[in-house]
Amino acid sequence: PIYNSSYNALQAVFRKRYAHGLQLNVNYTWSKSMDSSSCEGQFCGVVGPWYSTYPQLLGGDRKLEHSVSAFDVPHNLRFSYVWDLPAGKGRALLGNAPRILDAIVGNWKLSGLGTIQSGAPIGIQNGSNSSGTNAGWPDGVGYIRPNILNGVDPINPNWRQNLNTPAATPDPYLNVAAFTPAARLTLGTMPRTASWLRSPNEFKYDMAIIKEFPVSERVRVALRAELFGALNHPFFAVASNTVTLYTTLDYTHYVMPPVLPSNYIAGFTNLAGASIGGTRTMQLGLKVYF
C-alpha cells in the first residue's frame, strides 16, 4: 500500500511460419519500468540481481526512492530460427545430385536463438546509513547514496581496452572519480537505480549444426554440433546491480568524511560479483531416430 510502480512497453513480433525449409521468429520490446521499491522485506538479499536496499529514510518520502526499476531493460530483442538448407536431392540446389554427393551436401540443418538486451541499471550506495552506522535491520534504514559530480563520466571510457591488460585488473568499468560521499545527516544525489548508468549490454547467441544420414525409410541418424555462445562474444553477467562504493567512512569526526584508498570496496570498479557470460562452449551429440 505504500509503493507504486508503472510499466509501459511497445512490443513487436515478426514471425515467418515454416515454409521452404525456414522458420523464423523475432520479438522486440521497448519498455520502461519505474517504481519506488523493486524489493522490500526478508527476501531482498536472496532474489538475485533484481533488488534494491532499504529506503534511505525510515518513514521518509517515497518520492526519494522513485527511479527506474532494478529490473528495467529498455531494449530487448530475441530471435530464433530453424533452417533446412536447400541443398541435396529434391532441393533447390543440387537437386539431381548423385547419391555420393547428396550424402555430403544434403540433409544439413541449422537452428539458433539469440538475445540482445540493455544492461541492468546500477544503484550505488555509500556503505553506511544517514547516521553513519551500518544499514539494515532492526531499524530498516538503508544505505545512503553518494553525490554525483556533474561533467564526470561514471563509466570509464577505456574499460573495453583494459579488458586484456593485466595491469588494469580489476577492470575499471565504473569511475570512482564521478562520486563523492554525502555529508553527514544528508542524502546523496544518486538515484536508487540510474537509467543512465548500466552494466554492459548483453548479447547471447546459441546455435546448432545438424547433419542427418537416412538409413532406411524409418531410421535416420543425426549428428549434432551445439555451440553455446557461438560467436564467442563475452559480456558481464552481473550478479547484483546494487553496488557499495565505500566502507567505514568516518562520519564521527567529519561532516564530509575524507575518502582514503582503504575506504573503497575492493572490486567496486570491476562490477563486483560479475562473471563472464557469452563465451563459446561446444558439445557433440549423436541421435538415432527410428
Side-chain angles (χ1 to χ4, degrees), residues 9-210:
L10 178 145
Q11 298 177 338
V13 177
F14 172 81
R15 179 179 295 116
K16 181 189 182 303
R17 300 184 185 277
Y18 187 81
H20 305 290
L22 178 63
Q23 175 180 308
L24 175 66
N25 289 280
V26 181
N27 300 274
Y28 171 70
T29 302
W30 174 41
S31 65
K32 188 169 187 178
S33 178
M34 302 192 71
D35 55 36
S36 54
S37 178
S38 297
C39 177
E40 185 79 5
Q42 60 179 321
F43 299 111
C44 285
V46 294
V47 294
W50 315 121
Y51 73 94
S52 55
T53 55
Y54 304 107
Q56 292 186 96
L57 291 178
L58 183 61
D61 189 347
R62 288 291 171 174
K63 292 180 180 179
L64 295 172
E65 306 302 312
H66 191 70
S67 69
V68 294
S69 303
F71 47 80
D72 177 64
V73 178
H75 300 284
N76 194 332
L77 175 70
R78 298 174 183 265
F79 61 90
S80 63
Y81 66 90
V82 176
W83 186 21
D84 294 339
L85 298 185
K89 188 175 181 179
R91 304 294 179 90
L93 301 176
L94 302 175
N96 296 318
R99 185 172 182 178
I100 295 178
L101 180 59
D102 180 61
I104 299 173
V105 302
N107 297 301
W108 286 92
K109 298 181 180 182
L110 300 178
S111 65
L113 54 91
T115 300
I116 304 173
Q117 69 179 42
S118 305
I122 295 176
I124 297 178
Q125 55 197 22
N126 259 10
S128 57
N129 62 28
S130 54
S131 65
T133 59
N134 292 330
W137 297 107
D139 54 7
V141 178
Y143 295 115
I144 57 175
R145 300 187 280 265
N147 291 318
I148 307 165
L149 297 181
N150 294 328
V152 182
D153 191 344
I155 297 178
N156 188 330
N158 298 319
W159 75 273
R160 289 188 182 276
Q161 290 84 337
N162 292 331
L163 283 176
N164 295 317
T165 305
T169 303
D171 174 59
Y173 178 72
L174 299 175
N175 182 9
V176 296
F179 308 96
T180 59
R184 182 173 57 198
L185 299 181
T186 66
L187 302 179
T189 56
M190 179 74 190
R192 180 171 55 90
T193 50
S195 61
W196 42 265
L197 180 59
R198 295 179 176 271
S199 59
N201 297 334
E202 295 187 9
F203 174 57
K204 294 181 286 188
Y205 173 56
D206 305 328
M207 68 173 298
I209 305 171
I210 305 166

